[in-house]
Amino acid sequence: MQRSAPRLSRILACAAVPVMLVAVGCSSGSDSGDGGSGSGDKAGSSASATPKATQSTKSVEPAKFAELPQVCSSLSAKTIESLVPKAKNKKGTETPSSDAGSRGGCSWNGLEDKGTKGSQYRWLDVSFYRYESDATLGSGQERAADNYAKELAKVQATEGAKKLRTAPASGVGDQADTVTYELRKANEDFRYASVVARTGNVVVLLSYNGAGYEGADAPSEKSIRDGAVNAAKEAVAAVAAANK
């Protein structure tokens, strides 16, 4: 019996070893269930990192147009002569811009004296806004579409506008609307037509208005609207021509 005690101790000690190994094995198995062993953790980290990498390198549609036209040359001399017969500066007055590659504007105005029939005043201006594609903001086309809607809303909210109407302008870029209205200024009735158009990643804003002075009748809504739409078509075509 005395000899069996040490032997029994050795048996118990050896029996305890598998229990420890099983415990370690269970711990390892449990880790595996939560993401695996060391190699499993790397795989899990790699898998979780993949969406972040994809997000950071998200691709967007390239901007369609990289250039804007020379703003004051976007409308032909013939168009200016037709819409603003006695323009003070036939070459137009360019609006200062800190980034001519992204935005620009030009305007023309003049007063035509018709003798006993009074005088006719006309104002025409055109502006261009170009948007680059950006992974966080969207494609140039999407950004232009968003700003197209904002610019249209601004025109529709013109303070003091009467008889305001909005209608699609067919054949002008990818999308376009014409807003016509009347406005009383300096005791004269002015008729306005504003065209908001988008071609690719460029928004074109064109405004044309006129009034009759010294007893002359105000220009008709149709003449102002048609003049604005035709000029807008020309401005949109100038964008495409500048990027050939």
Side-chain angles (χ1 to χ4, degrees):
M1 293 296 294
Q2 293 177 353
R3 293 180 180 178
S4 62
R7 184 179 179 185
L8 180 59
S9 298
R10 288 196 300 271
I11 292 173
L12 292 175
C14 291
V17 173
V19 174
M20 294 172 63
L21 292 175
V22 169
V24 172
C26 290
S27 176
S28 176
S30 176
D31 288 343
S32 178
D34 292 334
S37 61
S39 61
D41 288 341
K42 292 179 180 178
S45 299
S46 176
S48 63
T50 300
K52 294 180 180 179
T54 302
Q55 185 175 5
S56 63
T57 57
K58 178 184 176 182
S59 60
V60 294
E61 181 184 8
K64 183 175 181 179
F65 298 118
E67 303 287 342
L68 286 179
Q70 293 293 322
V71 189
C72 290
S73 298
S74 62
L75 301 179
S76 67
K78 182 179 179 180
T79 295
I80 301 304
E81 177 62 29
S82 172
L83 299 183
V84 190
K86 297 295 181 179
K88 293 179 181 178
N89 182 358
K90 293 183 179 181
K91 292 183 178 180
T93 301
E94 188 169 356
T95 304
S97 174
S98 59
D99 185 2
S102 296
R103 56 188 175 274
C106 192
S107 63
W108 299 260
N109 70 89
L111 183 67
E112 182 181 21
D113 185 356
K114 293 195 172 185
T116 58
K117 295 182 179 180
S119 302
Q120 288 290 333
Y121 176 79
R122 296 291 184 273
W123 171 284
L124 173 67
D125 67 73
V126 62
S127 298
F128 297 86
Y129 298 90
R130 188 180 65 84
Y131 300 90
E132 291 282 6
S133 292
D134 186 285
T136 58
L137 300 176
S139 71
Q141 287 70 241
E142 293 170 333
R143 295 179 66 197
D146 288 342
N147 283 279
Y148 165 89
K150 292 177 182 178
E151 294 297 341
L152 178 60
K154 287 180 184 178
V155 177
Q156 292 172 324
T158 299
E159 186 176 355
K162 298 178 180 179
K163 299 181 181 179
L164 190 147
R165 286 185 287 270
T166 302
S170 60
V172 185
D174 297 315
Q175 57 183 143
D177 280 285
T178 304
V179 183
T180 56
Y181 56 94
E182 295 179 8
L183 202 59
R184 182 80 174 173
K185 296 194 308 180
N187 296 320
E188 298 292 347
D189 293 318
F190 282 74
R191 285 207 168 93
Y192 281 76
S194 294
V195 180
V196 182
R198 180 184 68 84
T199 175
N201 59 312
V202 176
V203 173
V204 179
L205 308 179
L206 189 138
S207 180
Y208 182 45
N209 67 77
Y213 284 89
E214 298 172 353
D217 293 333
S220 69
E221 178 183 325
K222 184 179 185 304
S223 67
I224 294 296
R225 182 186 64 244
D226 291 352
V229 171
N230 289 333
K233 288 180 180 179
E234 195 170 321
V236 167
V239 175
N243 285 271
K244 286 184 178 179

